[in-house]
Amino acid sequence: MDVKKSKATVALMMMFMMLFLVNFPGCFSAASQQPINKKSTHLKPHNGFHSSFLFPVTGNVYPLGYYSISLSIGNPPKVFEFDIDTGSDLTWVQCDAPCTGCTKPIDHLYKPQKHILVSCEHPSCGVVHFPESPHCEKPDDQCDFEIDYVDHGSVLGVVVADVFSLRFMNGSLIHLPLTFGCAYDLKNPGPYDPPAAGVLGLGNGKASILSQLRSFDLTRNVLGHCLSGKGGGFLFLGDDLVPSGMSWMPVSANSKHYLSSPAEVLFDGKPTGIKDLKVVFDSGSSYTYFGFQVYEGVLNLVRESLTEKTLDTVQDKALPICWKGTKPFKSVHDVKNYFSTLTLKFKDTQNIQLELQPEAYLIVTEDGNACFGILNGTEAGLGDLNVIGDISLIGKMVVYDNEKQRIGWISADCNRLPLDSNYKEEIQRPYAANFGILEENHPKTQGSSETNVRVRNREL
């Protein structure tokens, strides 16, 4: 959900400054005030990094179905795993309030304390509910929230503010209070339960963790991720790792999502007649989704290109559309030569294109079949919205620049962290359900309910 910028109270700012000066005494030195140097053309960073955070990523598209990072919350700090999601804003974690529908053992849940509750009258509550207003009987009521996802999953909880422990790329550690959701009622009827403890909302709204860091003037409102097809990758907040030579295009300033310019589909480099696609970039979606007509058109093109090749259709539990060869495939590289490249060509840009090689829309399953990783978005509840998910972002550094309202990408080696002396050279591999785009076409009302009775306004 989009949000409106909150202004920290004097008490909060005093608390932050004390924590910040103790843990990061050099931040106001003259050296720290120098302009950021021009980015290099490669991904290995220069020294410094006084305003960026770098996180190793675990996960994969298949079989796990998600990418995540670990964050420390509380005092003493406790580590939680978060699904990285550029399709939503509010960060939330499963919490013991107690919890209904949580997927983690009770000792792996976040335990909220009453003194960290955000009140209904606090500006942060208005931010979470923007553009609506919070519905509270009394100003000092706790601030409740509800998030609905297009896969019909939903989350209920209460907004809290607790200390996050974050390390800058130069090694300096800070502890500061950030606002997030304590989720005590989860409903997700999809085939997978949420595997992580929560969701890290990285959308362009001001309830996101990144926007809050920007409001403290700690970093630029820029984030990027590099997801590896082998599993893992890295995520960064701030602009120190943004390389030169990227393809940039504007994103809509009036959308709650990272919505591109209209796109045209090319197949094997040739026009298809499929035009004016609304495209959203969403790391919270494992697969790519096209609206029904676009999906059918692209699938037919793929099928027609396979008529002379030794592939047969086969049923596989992993995805709806799959093919088998004369012998089981071991990886996408075994099957990629059977398929052609899809390209999204964006209008109102200087010939900006996103190439989807076969490995950007295919998976190979545990049964050795090749499956089509582009799904019917209309069937999934996305309407005419088209979503570029993780499968189509693998092997690229993708940067979301909220300062300049643009998105960019460049081919990159996502198997290794951009190094400095504070980070390990090898990226951890594996750890995968699908929280993604928030339901915006048909959102539920604050008090609506379906078949299950759900407790709202639960007091902690």
Side-chain angles (χ1 to χ4, degrees):
M1 54 188 73
D2 276 336
V3 292
K4 181 165 60 174
K5 183 174 182 179
S6 75
K7 298 180 180 178
T9 63
V10 174
L12 182 60
M13 285 301 297
M14 290 295 292
M15 177 181 177
F16 162 71
M17 290 302 295
M18 291 173 63
L19 291 167
F20 191 73
L21 290 172
V22 168
N23 292 284
F24 196 31
C27 68
F28 296 109
S29 67
S32 72
Q33 301 302 311
Q34 297 301 314
I36 297 173
N37 294 332
K38 184 178 180 180
K39 311 301 177 296
S40 63
T41 57
H42 52 83
L43 299 186
K44 187 173 180 179
H46 49 71
N47 293 325
F49 306 109
H50 56 281
S51 63
S52 290
F53 305 89
L54 176 65
F55 307 91
V57 167
T58 58
N60 55 44
V61 171
Y62 178 86
L64 300 176
Y66 79 120
Y67 288 88
S68 69
I69 67 167
S70 295
L71 293 174
S72 297
I73 308 175
N75 186 20
K78 187 173 182 178
V79 177
F80 299 93
E81 185 185 356
F82 290 85
D83 184 358
I84 58 177
D85 181 18
T86 59
S88 63
D89 297 333
L90 182 66
T91 292
W92 59 264
V93 64
Q94 299 179 40
C95 69
D96 179 19
C99 188
T100 302
C102 280
T103 61
K104 295 293 181 182
I106 191 167
D107 59 335
H108 287 71
L109 300 179
Y110 172 77
K111 182 65 177 177
Q113 304 297 323
K114 280 199 171 184
H115 71 276
I116 65 170
L117 293 178
V118 171
S119 69
C120 192
E121 65 180 352
H122 195 278
S124 295
C125 188
V127 161
V128 169
H129 285 270
F130 183 82
E132 304 296 329
S133 299
H135 299 289
C136 304
E137 294 182 3
K138 296 179 293 184
D140 60 350
D141 282 351
Q142 66 187 29
C143 179
D144 297 296
F145 75 92
E146 178 177 3
I147 299 176
D148 296 297
Y149 296 93
V150 295
D151 64 357
H152 307 297
S154 62
V155 176
L156 294 177
V158 61
V159 180
V160 297
D162 205 350
V163 174
F164 280 65
S165 300
L166 299 169
R167 189 177 297 278
F168 283 100
M169 285 191 65
N170 67 1
S172 299
L173 182 67
I174 59 169
H175 309 282
L176 72 161
L178 298 174
T179 301
F180 62 102
C182 161
Y184 56 68
D185 190 345
L186 278 66
K187 180 183 178 186
N188 182 34
Y192 305 102
D193 286 324
V199 168
L200 177 63
L202 295 171
N204 57 16
K206 293 183 176 61
S208 74
I209 294 296
L210 177 58
S211 291
Q212 292 181 63
L213 293 172
R214 183 68 177 93
S215 71
F216 283 126
D217 204 23
L218 290 176
T219 189
R220 300 281 186 181
N221 197 340
V222 176
L223 69 109
H225 55 69
C226 200
L227 307 178
S228 170
K230 297 179 180 179
F234 59 89
L235 169 79
F236 60 86
L237 306 180
D239 65 351
D240 286 306
L241 288 177
V242 179
S244 60
M246 297 191 70
S247 299
W248 292 103
M249 71 173 179
V251 292
S252 173
N254 301 316
S255 173
K256 62 174 63 177
H257 306 305
Y258 294 109
L259 180 65
S260 75
S261 303
E264 174 187 2
V265 177
L266 309 180
F267 186 74
D268 200 18
K270 302 170 185 176
T272 62
I274 302 173
K275 299 180 178 180
D276 297 326
L277 276 68
K278 299 177 182 178
V279 178
V280 167
F281 289 74
D282 177 26
S283 67
S285 176
S286 304
Y287 296 103
T288 289
Y289 292 82
F290 287 160
F292 175 72
Q293 291 186 338
V294 177
Y295 170 77
E296 286 289 314
V298 170
L299 180 57
N300 287 336
L301 289 168
V302 171
R303 283 171 167 162
E304 289 170 6
S305 71
L306 297 176
T307 53
E308 303 296 324
K309 298 173 183 175
T310 56
L311 294 180
D312 295 318
T313 57
V314 64
Q315 287 192 333
D316 193 301
K317 62 181 180 294
L319 288 172
I321 306 296
C322 299
W323 299 270
K324 67 177 181 178
T326 54
K327 59 182 181 179
F329 301 113
K330 293 181 179 178
S331 73
V332 175
H333 296 287
D334 295 340
V335 73
K336 61 181 292 185
N337 290 335
Y338 292 92
F339 293 83
S340 298
T341 298
L342 278 167
T343 304
L344 295 179
K345 183 178 179 180
F346 296 95
K347 293 173 61 177
D348 305 324
T349 65
Q350 295 181 344
N351 199 33
I352 299 301
Q353 298 183 359
L354 177 65
E355 282 197 353
L356 304 183
Q357 303 283 349
E359 54 266 43
Y361 64 83
L362 295 172
I363 65 166
V364 168
T365 70
E366 59 186 14
D367 295 325
N369 300 316
C371 292
F372 194 47
I374 298 176
L375 305 179
N376 185 340
T378 304
E379 192 175 78
L382 289 165
D384 63 350
L385 204 61
N386 305 280
V387 174
I388 302 299
D390 293 338
I391 190 172
S392 301
L393 302 176
I394 286 172
K396 299 177 180 66
M397 177 184 279
V398 183
V399 178
Y400 309 77
D401 185 345
N402 293 309
E403 301 277 347
K404 298 180 179 179
Q405 295 182 336
R406 62 182 185 172
I407 186 169
W409 56 85
I410 191 170
S411 296
D413 180 4
C414 302
N415 296 310
R416 300 168 75 87
L417 286 171
L419 298 181
D420 75 349
S421 59
N422 297 304
Y423 287 86
K424 296 179 181 178
E425 188 165 327
E426 293 298 325
I427 291 182
Q428 305 172 35
R429 298 215 195 284
Y431 251 93
N434 195 347
F435 290 95
I437 294 292
L438 296 181
E439 183 176 30
E440 84 173 340
N441 295 330
H442 304 286
K444 293 179 182 178
T445 60
Q446 185 75 13
S448 67
S449 177
E450 294 185 355
T451 55
N452 295 335
V453 176
R454 311 184 72 194
V455 179
R456 289 174 172 78
N457 304 318
R458 180 178 297 173
E459 292 193 6
L460 303 185

